[in-house]
Structure formats: C-alpha cells, structure tokens
Amino acid sequence: MSEILLIHPPVAKPAEPPAGIAKLVGALRGHKIDCVAVDLNLEGLDYVLRQKPAAADTWSRRALRHVDKNRAALSGPDEYQNFDRYKRAVADLNRAVEIVGKGAAVELSLANYNDRELSPLSSQDLRQAAETAAENIYYPFFSRRLTELIESVTPSFIGFSLNYLSQALCTFAMIGFCRERFPEIKIVVGGGLITSWVSRPDWHNPFAGLIDHLLAGPGEVSLLILLGKTPNNRNFAPDYRDFSNLQYLAPGRILPYAASSGCYWNRCSFCPEKAEGNRYQQIKPEVVLTELKQLLSENSYDLIHFLDNALSPALLRQLVSSPPRINWYGFTRIEPDLLDPDFCQKLKKSGCVMLKLGVESGSAEVLSAMTKGIVVDDVARVLGNLHAAGIATYVYLLFGTPGEALAEARQTLAFTAERHQAITFLNLAIFNLPLYSAESKGLKVQNFYVGDLSLYGDFVHPRGWQRQNIRSFLDREFKRNPEIAAIIKRDPPIFTSNHAPFFC
Ligand code: SF4
C-alpha cells in the first residue's frame, strides 16, 4: 500500500521524465511516505501508437507502417546522426499520432491535444471532460491502467501534475474516471498550470466537489503537510527511479533538474513569473552539485537539462569550478560573466553544450521598455563569446510587445541576420499579454482566448502593431532572410529545444 499515486498525464513532449513529480517523490520518500509515480503521458503515447487506424493517403500509410521502427529509432542515438532522417522519423511518428486523433475528432500530436469541442481554458468544459471521461481518446488505456495501478498501489490520494494546457482535458477525464470508480480516494492536483490559475486575483475554485485539493506553487511542502508530515528544512533531490526504465524519445537519457523556481531578476515587464508573484527560491549552488553527483551515481544520464527560468551567475560559476562531468544546457540571462571570453571557454569545458537566451529584441528601446536589464551590444558580445567557445545558442525573440512597431522589429531582423553565425537556433514568438500583469493596466485589453481560465488576452497595440501585421512581417520578411531561414531550418521539429542540444 502506498499513500499516494502521482501521475504525469498526457499530452506533453515525451523527451524526458517529468521533473515536477520526481521532485515530489524525492520529498515524499525523504519523509518516509510511500508513493508511486507513473508517466501516463509516455504510456499513453505508446497506447496511441499501438492503434491501427485506416489511412487514406500514401504518407499516412507509410507513417503507420513504420510506427515501431520510428518509435525505436527516436529512442536511440543513431537516427540523430542524420538530421534529415531524424526529421522524417519525427514527422512520420507525429503523423501516425495525428491519424489516431482524427478518428476521435481530436487534433492530437506528439506535443499537443486539441479537442474541437472542449476548451482547456473553460472550467465548464473541463468539468464536462471529467463527466464524459469515456469519450476521451485515452479512455480505453487509462481506465484499464488506472484501475490496475489503484488496485495494486491502493493509494489514499491520487495526485495529478498539470503543467500545460495540452494536459488539461486528459487530466480532467482521468479525474472524472477516478472520482466515479474510486470515490473514496482523494484527488490532489498541482503543477505549473494550477499555480497560474490560482494566482489570478479573481480566482475562485470552479472545481469544488471534483478535486479535493488544488496545490499551487512548488508542491513539496503543501503536499507533505496535506499528508500529515511536518516538512523539515532539508531540500530533497528529485527521485527519478520510477521512470528509470522508460524509453523516452531522445537519443540519450536526459536528467531534468531545477536549481531554482521563480526568477532572480524578476523585473521584465509582462513576465508571467512576475505577474504571478512567484517567489525566487534557489538551492545553494554547492548543494546543486552534490545532488547532481548523487543522481548521476544512481543512474546513467547523457545530458542535464536545467529547468530554471534563468541559471544564476553563482550557479554558472559553481558549474565552472566543479563540472558535473556530463553535458548540460539551460536558460541564462546575459550576465557580465558571459562578456568574458575566458569564462565562456570554461563553461564549455564544464560540459555546457547550449545556452537558451531570452534576447527578445534587437532594439535598445524595446529592451529598455521591457526592463529587460540587457543591452544590445552586450547581447552581441555574449553571442560572439559563446560561439567562439563552441557553445550553441537557442535565442528567443518576442515580437509585438507594446514598445515595438515595424521599425523596431526590423532592427531585430538586422541584429539577428548580422549575428547569424553565432545563433544556432531561434524561437520566434508573438507577444501574448498576461492579463494580470501590472503593465496590462495601461493597455486596452480584449480577451481573445475565450474561457474563464484564460491567462492571456489580446490588446489594442498603442502603435497599431497588431498580430496580423506581425505575422505578415515574420512570414514575408523575417523568415525570408536567407541567413535567418537557415537558422530556422535547423530547429528540431516538434521537440525544438528539448532535442536541440543533440544537434549542436
Ligand atoms: S528573465 Fe525571464 S523569467 Fe526572469 S523576469 Fe525576465 S522574462 Fe521573467
């Protein structure tokens, strides 16, 4: 008998084990609480891939014929040696998943679940997903698997980790099933999406009677208290043992690890972390290295994925002075240390294969309006230093912030094209206004994501730089620049930055 069964629900990118649940497992077992964790996202994918739907066209028939081959190929290193072969395997596997979804009127992919009738942004639709659980595409799988798990684990609680909108409808379908079939078991739901919802100033719980406990924020402490333990002050390393035999879609084993939550900078305008008031909490750098050493001694891994919103300068220095002896990547800000070419060389020696950088814009005015705390010249120098050191860069650009119009977007284009050799990968996003950010108050907001759980809204751009103009600029100008087009072509489809370090 275990106290709690923890579930990572579909659909999320199946490249690595779920970090949030592993952290909970570490804290629970560290307090002598029995628990079992399962990745029903990965198991659910394998269930979908076992279906044999009819295929109308040649591509679909090929995709279905090669499902097993592609599933296996994407879980080993060989396919990643040839980018074209890799892309084809991903596209074919995704196609096979899409076809299964089509049969159930769901836009299903390796990374997404989009129901044509129910919205994950509507609490009413989520309740309906729970009431009509048997209509969910995964129902034959999860009704059998959850029953088997609950009968063998006999938990008092079932915990769902809900982090992405793409997981919401399936999570609620599973909750509906558990509620009906096992009414005596308490349902607990936490994760990033719950945290965002609960931090809305107008939050009221629309899930009373369906979910027993909603846990916002890093869930370890609240879950321990719920389970009757007084949390001691020790930080517990994540525990991935329940996932150690699973075949994720990656060429090697990835160890996701969060050295902090929140953000030490916490000043950028419109940042959801800031809008949600998430407190910065970090694990001391020396403790991070100790925990990593312990995790690496328990299991073999090929890559550390740091999940922090921004790795702190102190942790970067610690990684340089005590390298973890394995490749790693993560998000950093443009910090003074990175202006030093020697420091970048040392980072490379520490195992850093790729850094993700929230550059956002090539316009000094836009960066300043966003209180980004970085200047264009420094970004250029850091990109150059990282390139010289052999560290790949995954650069995030954001178009359509209130301070930007076409002229500034063109500056971003010029900046990117000029530094194309130092930019390995690019992520282009159109700005969504976090509805509850302080800065949104000065803007004329109009909700464009219909639903009472929307976190983002549309707004009247003060300079008339509306979404359709931005899309047109990106498609007709930005992406057509030959240097930029070459960078975009390099991006691993669907898996993007999760697989990018394997192509550096
Ligand atoms: S660095 Fe990133 S996480 Fe931190 S405040 Fe800025 S946008 Fe938010």
Side-chain angles (χ1 to χ4, degrees):
M1 177 179 165
S2 285
E3 189 65 13
I4 183 163
L5 171 65
L6 294 162
I7 293 168
H8 177 51
V11 170
K13 288 180 195 177
E16 59 191 36
I21 289 190
K23 188 83 183 158
L24 293 176
V25 172
L28 294 175
R29 290 187 181 146
H31 285 80
K32 310 254 178 290
I33 295 178
D34 253 355
C35 59
V36 170
V38 283
D39 187 341
L40 295 193
N41 176 52
L42 192 71
E43 291 188 30
L45 170 66
D46 285 327
Y47 159 77
V48 165
L49 294 176
R50 284 194 298 274
Q51 307 308 301
K52 302 280 174 230
D57 58 281
T58 318
W59 178 24
S60 302
R61 279 196 290 277
R62 183 187 81 200
L64 291 169
R65 216 173 35 247
H66 296 308
V67 158
D68 293 342
K69 186 177 86 102
N70 288 328
R71 170 68 174 89
L74 290 172
S75 300
D78 295 350
E79 201 75 353
Y80 294 75
Q81 303 304 314
N82 179 315
F83 192 55
D84 287 333
R85 255 182 31 214
Y86 158 82
K87 277 199 300 189
R88 184 165 147 153
V90 171
D92 280 6
L93 204 62
N94 194 55
R95 179 72 176 172
V97 172
E98 273 174 3
I99 300 164
V100 176
K102 258 189 197 151
V106 172
E107 285 167 29
L108 189 63
S109 75
L110 290 169
N112 209 358
Y113 180 101
N114 197 5
D115 189 299
R116 296 201 190 102
E117 282 162 16
L118 300 176
S119 162
L121 293 169
S122 153
S123 57
Q124 204 183 329
D125 286 6
L126 290 174
R127 290 195 79 107
Q128 196 181 327
E131 278 158 26
T132 56
E135 289 170 26
N136 185 279
I137 193 167
Y138 292 96
Y139 181 81
F141 156 68
F142 70 65
S143 55
R144 177 192 53 75
R145 183 71 171 119
L146 282 172
T147 304
E148 174 188 295
L149 280 163
I150 292 167
E151 285 175 358
S152 70
V153 173
T154 59
S156 307
F157 291 83
I158 300 180
F160 291 90
S161 175
L162 175 51
N163 290 290
Y164 311 110
L165 279 176
S166 57
Q167 294 177 301
L169 288 164
C170 295
T171 302
F172 276 78
M174 289 184 187
I175 290 172
F177 169 78
C178 293
R179 258 280 160 263
E180 198 188 314
R181 191 70 68 86
F182 303 97
E184 70 287 1
I185 302 177
K186 298 268 182 241
I187 307 280
V188 189
V189 188
L193 190 57
I194 295 295
T195 304
S196 300
W197 284 340
V198 171
S199 60
R200 284 171 53 138
D202 62 347
W203 171 252
H204 69 282
N205 181 5
F207 306 124
L210 181 63
I211 295 172
D212 297 292
H213 304 278
L214 287 171
L215 301 184
E220 300 89 85
V221 171
S222 31
L223 190 56
L224 284 168
I225 293 171
L226 180 65
L227 299 181
K229 293 278 175 185
T230 309
N232 53 42
N233 282 332
R234 278 181 55 209
N235 168 63
F236 286 93
D239 182 337
Y240 284 102
R241 281 174 294 173
D242 291 14
F243 309 114
S244 57
N245 293 324
L246 302 183
Q247 293 294 312
Y248 287 94
L249 270 65
R253 291 202 73 78
I254 302 173
L255 169 59
Y257 183 90
S260 65
S261 59
C263 171
Y264 69 87
W265 174 250
N266 202 32
R267 274 184 248 175
C268 302
S269 323
F270 309 110
C271 169
E273 285 293 329
K274 191 172 75 140
E276 288 170 17
N278 295 333
R279 216 157 52 88
Y280 182 57
Q281 290 176 291
Q282 64 165 329
I283 305 170
K284 284 188 185 144
E286 55 276 20
V287 177
V288 170
L289 269 295
T290 309
E291 287 191 355
L292 287 174
K293 210 168 150 196
Q294 181 198 325
L295 288 161
L296 295 169
S297 70
E298 287 167 3
N299 224 316
S300 84
Y301 290 99
D302 301 284
L303 180 73
I304 298 169
H305 174 194
F306 283 107
L307 304 164
D308 307 49
N309 286 310
L311 289 165
S312 72
L315 179 55
L316 290 180
R317 281 182 223 130
Q318 185 76 32
L319 286 161
V320 162
S321 61
S322 327
R325 297 178 198 283
I326 173 174
N327 286 345
W328 60 269
Y329 79 104
F331 246 113
T332 52
R333 286 179 43 78
I334 304 290
E335 288 290 350
D337 278 344
L338 299 177
L339 293 168
D340 175 1
D342 281 351
F343 185 80
C344 293
Q345 297 286 350
K346 287 179 188 157
L347 267 186
K348 173 72 183 172
K349 280 202 192 106
S350 79
C352 177
V353 281
M354 183 177 94
L355 286 180
K356 301 202 276 182
L357 301 161
V359 171
E360 323 296 13
S361 173
S363 151
E365 289 73 25
V366 171
L367 290 177
S368 154
M370 290 177 76
T371 359
K372 197 73 204 164
I374 59 177
V375 293
V376 178
D377 285 351
D378 285 354
V379 177
R381 279 176 61 197
V382 167
L383 287 172
N385 289 346
L386 294 174
H387 179 59
I391 296 174
T393 55
Y394 206 113
V395 170
Y396 287 69
L397 298 177
L398 186 60
F399 294 88
T401 54
E404 185 193 75
L406 179 60
E408 289 79 14
R410 283 191 171 137
Q411 285 177 25
T412 305
L413 190 162
F415 177 88
T416 312
E418 210 174 305
R419 277 134 200 116
H420 69 99
Q421 283 175 325
I423 298 174
T424 325
F425 304 100
L426 264 180
N427 177 288
L428 311 178
I430 300 182
F431 176 67
N432 287 322
L433 179 70
L435 284 171
Y436 304 98
S437 58
E439 299 84 359
S440 69
K441 294 196 175 79
L443 296 162
K444 191 168 172 212
V445 178
Q446 50 203 28
N447 237 354
F448 73 167
Y449 295 133
V450 187
D452 59 324
L453 299 175
S454 296
L455 296 166
Y456 297 93
D458 199 4
F459 66 104
V460 179
H461 195 283
R463 297 170 66 191
W465 184 226
Q466 295 297 139
R467 297 179 81 82
Q468 66 270 25
N469 308 123
I470 302 166
R471 270 196 211 102
S472 161
F473 164 76
L474 288 176
D475 291 341
R476 296 194 188 152
E477 249 183 269
F478 193 90
K479 292 182 188 170
R480 290 201 185 173
N481 176 288
E483 276 100 14
I484 292 176
I487 301 173
I488 292 171
K489 249 174 105 178
R490 255 183 238 141
D491 203 30
I494 297 174
F495 290 91
T496 63
S497 64
N498 291 79
H499 278 175
F502 297 108
F503 294 104
C504 294

